[in-house]
Amino acid sequence: MTTQIGVLVMSYGTPESLEGVKSYYTHIRRGNPPSAEQLKDLKDRYEAIVGGVFPLRENTDRQVKALQEALNRDNKDKDVEYICFQGLKHARPFIEDGVERMAESGINQAVGIVLAPHYSVMSVGGYIKRAKEKAESSGIQMTFVQSYHLHPQLIEALSRRVSARLDQYEEAGANREDVRVLFSAHSLPERILSMGDPYRDQLLETSKAVAEQTGVTSWQFTWQSAGRTAEPWLGPDILDTLRELSKEQVEYVLSAPIGFVSDHLEVLYDLDIEAQSVAAELDMRLMRIESLNNDPSFMAVLSDVVRDRAGELKAGRP
Ligand SMILES: CC1=C(CCC(=O)O)c2cc3nc(cc4[nH]c(cc5[nH]c(cc1n2)c(C)c5CCC(=O)O)c(CCC(=O)O)c4C)C(CCC(=O)O)=C3C
Ligand SMILES: [Fe+2]
């Protein structure tokens, strides 16, 4: 008999159209509508990166489909069938909708995974909390992948991307050693540090592992995309880091946003437009590594950690 295991694939979510930006932003702000100025600012940023479909929606759809294929393709347990459902934090289908759809399909065992490799109680922890609550009230036994920031195939996939760009710098006449690699991730409020949150350490671990595997010695970690609120956010921000590096006469920079797995606003706007324009002003050369998107080796990472959790479910110790 085949057992069906549901896989709730969770991601941040993005609007479906420019008209949908307001309700999306309101959801992020826990029900408080943004001011007209804040709304215009966000709409302008989306307008700069969107050509029809919002990139994150397209990418998440592809990732979920590719993960389901990967999970069932090399399935060693022929008695298990994996069925993937999407659950988004701030857009439809919401996390709760995804769990409800699983229940409607008769699934009673499931694994949850977030499309973000590093755990923070403020990011991944929030997704898991919502899914767990809904699963409990829907009668689904559910277990979660917490993080996968040091998975060997993740480090390998990121390293390949870093090396490919360093090759390009070399082909353009630069020395590999002269390129400063800037690993980055979404900033969070500074108070996570006093909460003992693993987010920063996990990000540093990924950075270090990729630097080691690529033989890069000239690297540093920097934050990006901090929120514009009154409380302090983790820094330094990548734009300030670029200004500092310019003072140190660094000319070649490679941006490696290891906290993200998809092309979206933080990559296509914050890095490709905003950081690029600062680099241009400073007369620096800035390149960015390609995003993982639905790369087969990234799908192998996700399917490996999902299968691992599914094994625990079967063994009755989620
Ligand atoms: C840790 C983290 C990740 C990475 C982990 C993960 O992926 O979960 C992430 C990803 C993303 N963040 C995204 C978009 C936005 N995040 C905002 C605001 C915020 N992000 C926060 C944190 C994070 N965000 C926080 C603490 C806030 C403040 C409000 C709050 O406490 O929640 C705002 C409001 C306006 C602004 O501040 O710019 C927007 C529009 C998109 C979608 C992009 C697209 O649609 O292409 C993605 C993938
Ligand atoms: Fe965000």
Side-chain angles (χ1 to χ4, degrees):
M1 226 204 69
T2 323
T3 317
Q4 289 191 332
I5 298 206
V7 181
L8 183 69
V9 188
M10 293 178 277
S11 167
Y12 202 84
T14 191
E16 278 176 82
S17 64
L18 284 171
E19 294 70 53
V21 173
K22 189 174 179 186
S23 67
Y24 170 72
Y25 203 175
T26 303
H27 194 273
I28 292 175
R29 295 167 47 85
R30 293 161 228 272
N32 300 309
S35 68
E37 196 190 340
Q38 286 170 319
L39 180 60
K40 182 182 183 309
D41 178 64
L42 183 57
K43 263 193 171 168
D44 288 349
R45 282 185 277 149
Y46 275 117
E47 250 176 283
I49 66 155
V50 168
V53 188
F54 279 57
L56 182 58
R57 195 158 283 276
E58 212 168 16
N59 285 320
T60 305
D61 287 350
R62 288 201 190 114
Q63 285 170 326
V64 174
K65 191 166 167 276
L67 175 58
Q68 175 162 311
E69 283 165 12
L71 278 166
N72 293 309
R73 187 179 338 114
D74 332 299
N75 194 357
K76 286 156 213 121
D77 299 307
K78 289 292 176 209
D79 57 335
V80 174
E81 185 196 357
Y82 293 95
I83 308 181
C84 291
F85 297 82
Q86 245 185 73
L88 308 179
K89 198 174 201 176
H90 297 297
R92 258 177 261 280
F94 289 106
I95 291 170
E96 293 79 5
D97 300 332
V99 178
E100 204 166 295
R101 283 178 198 173
M102 290 202 290
E104 283 162 7
S105 324
I107 281 165
N108 50 36
Q109 288 196 314
V111 176
I113 184 164
V114 181
L115 294 173
H118 307 86
Y119 183 91
S120 166
V121 70
M122 280 191 73
S123 62
V124 172
Y127 292 82
I128 293 180
K129 185 166 179 282
R130 280 171 54 188
K132 204 176 232 168
E133 275 170 19
K134 187 68 184 176
E136 270 161 23
S137 67
S138 311
I140 297 178
Q141 185 195 9
M142 195 160 180
T143 182
F144 296 89
V145 174
Q146 304 275 339
S147 59
Y148 42 94
H149 67 290
L150 280 178
H151 193 287
Q153 281 166 290
L154 178 75
I155 302 305
E156 213 175 286
L158 292 169
S159 296
R160 261 203 310 276
R161 283 164 164 73
V162 168
S163 297
R165 286 290 184 259
L166 292 177
D167 290 348
Q168 272 181 289
Y169 264 125
E170 217 165 40
E171 280 157 27
N175 282 323
R176 278 176 114 78
E177 303 74 47
D178 291 339
V179 180
R180 182 70 56 96
V181 177
L182 288 186
F183 296 105
S184 66
H186 202 297
S187 179
L188 281 174
E190 241 173 58
R191 65 188 146 88
I192 63 159
L193 295 184
S194 58
M195 295 156 56
D197 197 85
Y199 189 59
R200 185 176 65 173
D201 287 345
Q202 289 191 353
L203 286 160
L204 289 173
E205 282 169 6
T206 304
S207 307
K208 197 158 168 270
V210 173
E212 267 166 24
Q213 195 158 126
T214 49
V216 166
T217 50
S218 175
W219 65 273
Q220 62 200 80
F221 183 81
T222 189
W223 298 98
Q224 63 165 93
S225 316
R228 295 148 212 195
T229 61
E231 70 176 321
W233 287 63
L234 292 167
D237 183 81
I238 191 162
L239 303 181
D240 296 325
T241 299
L242 289 173
R243 292 181 189 111
E244 279 307 309
L245 292 180
S246 165
K247 284 186 209 153
E248 287 175 36
Q249 319 291 327
V250 172
E251 188 184 349
Y252 305 108
V253 178
L254 175 56
S255 157
I258 53 164
F260 301 120
V261 301
S262 177
D263 282 321
H264 51 48
L265 197 66
E266 280 79 354
V267 171
L268 301 173
Y269 188 88
D270 297 353
L271 295 175
D272 292 0
I273 296 181
E274 204 175 29
Q276 271 301 350
S277 100
V278 169
E281 266 169 41
L282 299 168
D283 206 18
M284 297 165 92
R285 313 287 153 256
L286 172 65
M287 286 208 272
R288 167 177 70 76
I289 64 166
E290 231 177 74
S291 297
L292 293 168
N293 294 325
N294 59 346
D295 181 300
S297 49
F298 179 49
M299 293 306 124
V301 171
L302 299 178
S303 56
D304 190 42
V305 290
V306 165
R307 280 210 195 97
D308 192 59
R309 296 311 306 163
E312 295 292 295
L313 271 180
K314 273 173 66 185
R317 41 168 203 272

PDB file of all heavy atoms in Angstrom, residues 214-239:
ATOM      1  N   THR A 214      35.562  27.301  -2.311  1.00  0.00           N
ATOM      2  CA  THR A 214      35.962  28.014  -3.531  1.00  0.00           C
ATOM      3  C   THR A 214      37.381  28.572  -3.418  1.00  0.00           C
ATOM      4  O   THR A 214      37.882  29.177  -4.363  1.00  0.00           O
ATOM      5  CB  THR A 214      35.012  29.198  -3.798  1.00  0.00           C
ATOM      6  OG1 THR A 214      34.877  29.960  -2.590  1.00  0.00           O
ATOM      7  CG2 THR A 214      33.638  28.725  -4.228  1.00  0.00           C
ATOM      8  N   GLY A 215      37.991  28.411  -2.253  1.00  0.00           N
ATOM      9  CA  GLY A 215      39.339  28.941  -2.050  1.00  0.00           C
ATOM     10  C   GLY A 215      39.375  30.462  -1.973  1.00  0.00           C
ATOM     11  O   GLY A 215      40.406  31.078  -2.207  1.00  0.00           O
ATOM     12  N   VAL A 216      38.238  31.055  -1.636  1.00  0.00           N
ATOM     13  CA  VAL A 216      38.178  32.516  -1.525  1.00  0.00           C
ATOM     14  C   VAL A 216      38.665  32.941  -0.140  1.00  0.00           C
ATOM     15  O   VAL A 216      38.181  32.436   0.872  1.00  0.00           O
ATOM     16  CB  VAL A 216      36.726  33.017  -1.752  1.00  0.00           C
ATOM     17  CG1 VAL A 216      36.574  34.465  -1.315  1.00  0.00           C
ATOM     18  CG2 VAL A 216      36.324  32.854  -3.212  1.00  0.00           C
ATOM     19  N   THR A 217      39.631  33.840  -0.093  1.00  0.00           N
ATOM     20  CA  THR A 217      40.099  34.326   1.206  1.00  0.00           C
ATOM     21  C   THR A 217      39.643  35.756   1.461  1.00  0.00           C
ATOM     22  O   THR A 217      39.573  36.206   2.602  1.00  0.00           O
ATOM     23  CB  THR A 217      41.643  34.264   1.303  1.00  0.00           C
ATOM     24  OG1 THR A 217      42.173  34.894   0.139  1.00  0.00           O
ATOM     25  CG2 THR A 217      42.127  32.824   1.382  1.00  0.00           C
ATOM     26  N   SER A 218      39.320  36.487   0.385  1.00  0.00           N
ATOM     27  CA  SER A 218      38.909  37.877   0.532  1.00  0.00           C
ATOM     28  C   SER A 218      37.386  37.965   0.523  1.00  0.00           C
ATOM     29  O   SER A 218      36.760  38.127  -0.518  1.00  0.00           O
ATOM     30  CB  SER A 218      39.501  38.681  -0.630  1.00  0.00           C
ATOM     31  OG  SER A 218      39.038  40.002  -0.587  1.00  0.00           O
ATOM     32  N   TRP A 219      36.807  37.785   1.707  1.00  0.00           N
ATOM     33  CA  TRP A 219      35.345  37.818   1.780  1.00  0.00           C
ATOM     34  C   TRP A 219      34.883  38.438   3.080  1.00  0.00           C
ATOM     35  O   TRP A 219      35.642  38.542   4.040  1.00  0.00           O
ATOM     36  CB  TRP A 219      34.743  36.405   1.651  1.00  0.00           C
ATOM     37  CG  TRP A 219      35.068  35.460   2.760  1.00  0.00           C
ATOM     38  CD1 TRP A 219      36.166  34.645   2.851  1.00  0.00           C
ATOM     39  CD2 TRP A 219      34.300  35.199   3.961  1.00  0.00           C
ATOM     40  NE1 TRP A 219      36.125  33.906   4.005  1.00  0.00           N
ATOM     41  CE2 TRP A 219      34.993  34.227   4.715  1.00  0.00           C
ATOM     42  CE3 TRP A 219      33.082  35.704   4.457  1.00  0.00           C
ATOM     43  CZ2 TRP A 219      34.519  33.740   5.939  1.00  0.00           C
ATOM     44  CZ3 TRP A 219      32.609  35.220   5.683  1.00  0.00           C
ATOM     45  CH2 TRP A 219      33.323  34.244   6.405  1.00  0.00           C
ATOM     46  N   GLN A 220      33.646  38.867   3.112  1.00  0.00           N
ATOM     47  CA  GLN A 220      33.031  39.320   4.361  1.00  0.00           C
ATOM     48  C   GLN A 220      31.527  39.134   4.264  1.00  0.00           C
ATOM     49  O   GLN A 220      30.975  38.964   3.177  1.00  0.00           O
ATOM     50  CB  GLN A 220      33.394  40.760   4.680  1.00  0.00           C
ATOM     51  CG  GLN A 220      32.954  41.772   3.683  1.00  0.00           C
ATOM     52  CD  GLN A 220      33.761  43.062   3.815  1.00  0.00           C
ATOM     53  OE1 GLN A 220      34.891  43.173   3.332  1.00  0.00           O
ATOM     54  NE2 GLN A 220      33.163  44.056   4.471  1.00  0.00           N
ATOM     55  N   PHE A 221      30.889  39.168   5.421  1.00  0.00           N
ATOM     56  CA  PHE A 221      29.439  39.047   5.453  1.00  0.00           C
ATOM     57  C   PHE A 221      28.841  40.423   5.698  1.00  0.00           C
ATOM     58  O   PHE A 221      29.351  41.204   6.502  1.00  0.00           O
ATOM     59  CB  PHE A 221      28.990  38.071   6.551  1.00  0.00           C
ATOM     60  CG  PHE A 221      27.505  37.890   6.554  1.00  0.00           C
ATOM     61  CD1 PHE A 221      26.897  37.019   5.658  1.00  0.00           C
ATOM     62  CD2 PHE A 221      26.695  38.663   7.385  1.00  0.00           C
ATOM     63  CE1 PHE A 221      25.509  36.910   5.606  1.00  0.00           C
ATOM     64  CE2 PHE A 221      25.321  38.553   7.339  1.00  0.00           C
ATOM     65  CZ  PHE A 221      24.722  37.678   6.449  1.00  0.00           C
ATOM     66  N   THR A 222      27.771  40.736   5.005  1.00  0.00           N
ATOM     67  CA  THR A 222      27.095  42.016   5.210  1.00  0.00           C
ATOM     68  C   THR A 222      25.589  41.811   5.080  1.00  0.00           C
ATOM     69  O   THR A 222      25.135  40.845   4.470  1.00  0.00           O
ATOM     70  CB  THR A 222      27.633  43.067   4.203  1.00  0.00           C
ATOM     71  OG1 THR A 222      27.117  44.354   4.538  1.00  0.00           O
ATOM     72  CG2 THR A 222      27.220  42.731   2.766  1.00  0.00           C
ATOM     73  N   TRP A 223      24.820  42.697   5.692  1.00  0.00           N
ATOM     74  CA  TRP A 223      23.364  42.556   5.649  1.00  0.00           C
ATOM     75  C   TRP A 223      22.790  43.352   4.488  1.00  0.00           C
ATOM     76  O   TRP A 223      23.484  44.202   3.898  1.00  0.00           O
ATOM     77  CB  TRP A 223      22.751  43.031   6.970  1.00  0.00           C
ATOM     78  CG  TRP A 223      23.222  42.207   8.126  1.00  0.00           C
ATOM     79  CD1 TRP A 223      24.232  42.522   8.985  1.00  0.00           C
ATOM     80  CD2 TRP A 223      22.741  40.916   8.518  1.00  0.00           C
ATOM     81  NE1 TRP A 223      24.398  41.506   9.899  1.00  0.00           N
ATOM     82  CE2 TRP A 223      23.512  40.509   9.638  1.00  0.00           C
ATOM     83  CE3 TRP A 223      21.741  40.057   8.040  1.00  0.00           C
ATOM     84  CZ2 TRP A 223      23.300  39.290  10.286  1.00  0.00           C
ATOM     85  CZ3 TRP A 223      21.540  38.852   8.687  1.00  0.00           C
ATOM     86  CH2 TRP A 223      22.300  38.475   9.792  1.00  0.00           C
ATOM     87  N   GLN A 224      21.539  43.111   4.170  1.00  0.00           N
ATOM     88  CA  GLN A 224      20.862  43.872   3.124  1.00  0.00           C
ATOM     89  C   GLN A 224      19.374  43.966   3.433  1.00  0.00           C
ATOM     90  O   GLN A 224      18.875  43.234   4.297  1.00  0.00           O
ATOM     91  CB  GLN A 224      21.061  43.215   1.752  1.00  0.00           C
ATOM     92  CG  GLN A 224      20.460  41.827   1.631  1.00  0.00           C
ATOM     93  CD  GLN A 224      20.363  41.368   0.179  1.00  0.00           C
ATOM     94  OE1 GLN A 224      21.265  40.707  -0.328  1.00  0.00           O
ATOM     95  NE2 GLN A 224      19.266  41.715  -0.489  1.00  0.00           N
ATOM     96  N   SER A 225      18.688  44.882   2.737  1.00  0.00           N
ATOM     97  CA  SER A 225      17.222  44.954   2.744  1.00  0.00           C
ATOM     98  C   SER A 225      16.591  45.169   4.118  1.00  0.00           C
ATOM     99  O   SER A 225      15.478  44.701   4.369  1.00  0.00           O
ATOM    100  CB  SER A 225      16.619  43.689   2.111  1.00  0.00           C
ATOM    101  OG  SER A 225      17.287  43.328   0.927  1.00  0.00           O
ATOM    102  N   ALA A 226      17.298  45.869   5.013  1.00  0.00           N
ATOM    103  CA  ALA A 226      16.745  46.120   6.350  1.00  0.00           C
ATOM    104  C   ALA A 226      15.420  46.873   6.253  1.00  0.00           C
ATOM    105  O   ALA A 226      15.195  47.640   5.318  1.00  0.00           O
ATOM    106  CB  ALA A 226      17.734  46.941   7.176  1.00  0.00           C
ATOM    107  N   GLY A 227      14.546  46.648   7.222  1.00  0.00           N
ATOM    108  CA  GLY A 227      13.279  47.361   7.260  1.00  0.00           C
ATOM    109  C   GLY A 227      13.494  48.799   7.685  1.00  0.00           C
ATOM    110  O   GLY A 227      14.520  49.123   8.294  1.00  0.00           O
ATOM    111  N   ARG A 228      12.544  49.637   7.327  1.00  0.00           N
ATOM    112  CA  ARG A 228      12.692  51.051   7.698  1.00  0.00           C
ATOM    113  C   ARG A 228      11.815  51.340   8.911  1.00  0.00           C
ATOM    114  O   ARG A 228      10.785  51.965   8.819  1.00  0.00           O
ATOM    115  CB  ARG A 228      12.313  51.939   6.516  1.00  0.00           C
ATOM    116  CG  ARG A 228      13.281  51.754   5.359  1.00  0.00           C
ATOM    117  CD  ARG A 228      12.636  51.939   4.006  1.00  0.00           C
ATOM    118  NE  ARG A 228      13.286  51.062   3.032  1.00  0.00           N
ATOM    119  CZ  ARG A 228      13.164  51.172   1.719  1.00  0.00           C
ATOM    120  NH1 ARG A 228      12.422  52.133   1.195  1.00  0.00           N
ATOM    121  NH2 ARG A 228      13.777  50.331   0.918  1.00  0.00           N
ATOM    122  N   THR A 229      12.221  50.789  10.033  1.00  0.00           N
ATOM    123  CA  THR A 229      11.465  51.029  11.267  1.00  0.00           C
ATOM    124  C   THR A 229      12.391  51.722  12.258  1.00  0.00           C
ATOM    125  O   THR A 229      13.590  51.832  12.033  1.00  0.00           O
ATOM    126  CB  THR A 229      10.965  49.702  11.879  1.00  0.00           C
ATOM    127  OG1 THR A 229      12.095  48.894  12.208  1.00  0.00           O
ATOM    128  CG2 THR A 229      10.068  48.942  10.922  1.00  0.00           C
ATOM    129  N   ALA A 230      11.811  52.158  13.382  1.00  0.00           N
ATOM    130  CA  ALA A 230      12.576  52.934  14.361  1.00  0.00           C
ATOM    131  C   ALA A 230      13.623  52.079  15.067  1.00  0.00           C
ATOM    132  O   ALA A 230      14.673  52.572  15.456  1.00  0.00           O
ATOM    133  CB  ALA A 230      11.613  53.557  15.370  1.00  0.00           C
ATOM    134  N   GLU A 231      13.358  50.790  15.238  1.00  0.00           N
ATOM    135  CA  GLU A 231      14.310  49.977  16.006  1.00  0.00           C
ATOM    136  C   GLU A 231      15.549  49.658  15.166  1.00  0.00           C
ATOM    137  O   GLU A 231      15.488  49.646  13.941  1.00  0.00           O
ATOM    138  CB  GLU A 231      13.638  48.695  16.518  1.00  0.00           C
ATOM    139  CG  GLU A 231      13.303  47.670  15.467  1.00  0.00           C
ATOM    140  CD  GLU A 231      12.717  46.390  16.068  1.00  0.00           C
ATOM    141  OE1 GLU A 231      13.182  45.961  17.136  1.00  0.00           O
ATOM    142  OE2 GLU A 231      11.808  45.829  15.455  1.00  0.00           O
ATOM    143  N   PRO A 232      16.698  49.411  15.843  1.00  0.00           N
ATOM    144  CA  PRO A 232      17.909  49.110  15.077  1.00  0.00           C
ATOM    145  C   PRO A 232      17.857  47.733  14.409  1.00  0.00           C
ATOM    146  O   PRO A 232      17.362  46.772  14.994  1.00  0.00           O
ATOM    147  CB  PRO A 232      19.022  49.157  16.138  1.00  0.00           C
ATOM    148  CG  PRO A 232      18.356  49.025  17.453  1.00  0.00           C
ATOM    149  CD  PRO A 232      16.943  49.502  17.292  1.00  0.00           C
ATOM    150  N   TRP A 233      18.349  47.663  13.170  1.00  0.00           N
ATOM    151  CA  TRP A 233      18.420  46.410  12.417  1.00  0.00           C
ATOM    152  C   TRP A 233      19.892  46.009  12.315  1.00  0.00           C
ATOM    153  O   TRP A 233      20.778  46.857  12.434  1.00  0.00           O
ATOM    154  CB  TRP A 233      17.815  46.580  11.014  1.00  0.00           C
ATOM    155  CG  TRP A 233      16.313  46.689  11.021  1.00  0.00           C
ATOM    156  CD1 TRP A 233      15.569  47.667  11.611  1.00  0.00           C
ATOM    157  CD2 TRP A 233      15.376  45.776  10.426  1.00  0.00           C
ATOM    158  NE1 TRP A 233      14.218  47.414  11.422  1.00  0.00           N
ATOM    159  CE2 TRP A 233      14.072  46.263  10.685  1.00  0.00           C
ATOM    160  CE3 TRP A 233      15.493  44.595   9.685  1.00  0.00           C
ATOM    161  CZ2 TRP A 233      12.920  45.615  10.244  1.00  0.00           C
ATOM    162  CZ3 TRP A 233      14.346  43.956   9.241  1.00  0.00           C
ATOM    163  CH2 TRP A 233      13.068  44.456   9.527  1.00  0.00           C
ATOM    164  N   LEU A 234      20.120  44.720  12.091  1.00  0.00           N
ATOM    165  CA  LEU A 234      21.494  44.233  11.971  1.00  0.00           C
ATOM    166  C   LEU A 234      22.207  44.905  10.813  1.00  0.00           C
ATOM    167  O   LEU A 234      21.648  45.070   9.733  1.00  0.00           O
ATOM    168  CB  LEU A 234      21.488  42.711  11.779  1.00  0.00           C
ATOM    169  CG  LEU A 234      21.017  41.887  12.979  1.00  0.00           C
ATOM    170  CD1 LEU A 234      20.748  40.449  12.559  1.00  0.00           C
ATOM    171  CD2 LEU A 234      22.034  41.935  14.102  1.00  0.00           C
ATOM    172  N   GLY A 235      23.444  45.318  11.031  1.00  0.00           N
ATOM    173  CA  GLY A 235      24.268  45.947  10.021  1.00  0.00           C
ATOM    174  C   GLY A 235      25.664  45.367  10.083  1.00  0.00           C
ATOM    175  O   GLY A 235      25.926  44.502  10.908  1.00  0.00           O
ATOM    176  N   PRO A 236      26.562  45.825   9.222  1.00  0.00           N
ATOM    177  CA  PRO A 236      26.410  46.892   8.261  1.00  0.00           C
ATOM    178  C   PRO A 236      25.588  46.479   7.037  1.00  0.00           C
ATOM    179  O   PRO A 236      25.574  45.321   6.657  1.00  0.00           O
ATOM    180  CB  PRO A 236      27.866  47.177   7.836  1.00  0.00           C
ATOM    181  CG  PRO A 236      28.566  45.866   7.989  1.00  0.00           C
ATOM    182  CD  PRO A 236      27.915  45.216   9.178  1.00  0.00           C
ATOM    183  N   ASP A 237      24.937  47.471   6.464  1.00  0.00           N
ATOM    184  CA  ASP A 237      24.164  47.260   5.259  1.00  0.00           C
ATOM    185  C   ASP A 237      25.099  47.213   4.048  1.00  0.00           C
ATOM    186  O   ASP A 237      26.131  47.892   4.027  1.00  0.00           O
ATOM    187  CB  ASP A 237      23.170  48.405   5.084  1.00  0.00           C
ATOM    188  CG  ASP A 237      22.283  48.193   3.869  1.00  0.00           C
ATOM    189  OD1 ASP A 237      21.305  47.437   3.997  1.00  0.00           O
ATOM    190  OD2 ASP A 237      22.598  48.743   2.796  1.00  0.00           O
ATOM    191  N   ILE A 238      24.712  46.464   3.044  1.00  0.00           N
ATOM    192  CA  ILE A 238      25.578  46.285   1.871  1.00  0.00           C
ATOM    193  C   ILE A 238      25.947  47.616   1.192  1.00  0.00           C
ATOM    194  O   ILE A 238      27.063  47.768   0.688  1.00  0.00           O
ATOM    195  CB  ILE A 238      24.952  45.287   0.856  1.00  0.00           C
ATOM    196  CG1 ILE A 238      25.985  44.916  -0.216  1.00  0.00           C
ATOM    197  CG2 ILE A 238      23.660  45.829   0.242  1.00  0.00           C
ATOM    198  CD1 ILE A 238      25.671  43.670  -0.989  1.00  0.00           C
ATOM    199  N   LEU A 239      25.053  48.592   1.233  1.00  0.00           N
ATOM    200  CA  LEU A 239      25.363  49.866   0.567  1.00  0.00           C
ATOM    201  C   LEU A 239      26.491  50.585   1.305  1.00  0.00           C
ATOM    202  O   LEU A 239      27.398  51.158   0.684  1.00  0.00           O
ATOM    203  CB  LEU A 239      24.119  50.751   0.471  1.00  0.00           C
ATOM    204  CG  LEU A 239      22.912  50.126  -0.254  1.00  0.00           C
ATOM    205  CD1 LEU A 239      21.752  51.113  -0.302  1.00  0.00           C
ATOM    206  CD2 LEU A 239      23.269  49.643  -1.656  1.00  0.00           C
TER     207      LEU A 239
END
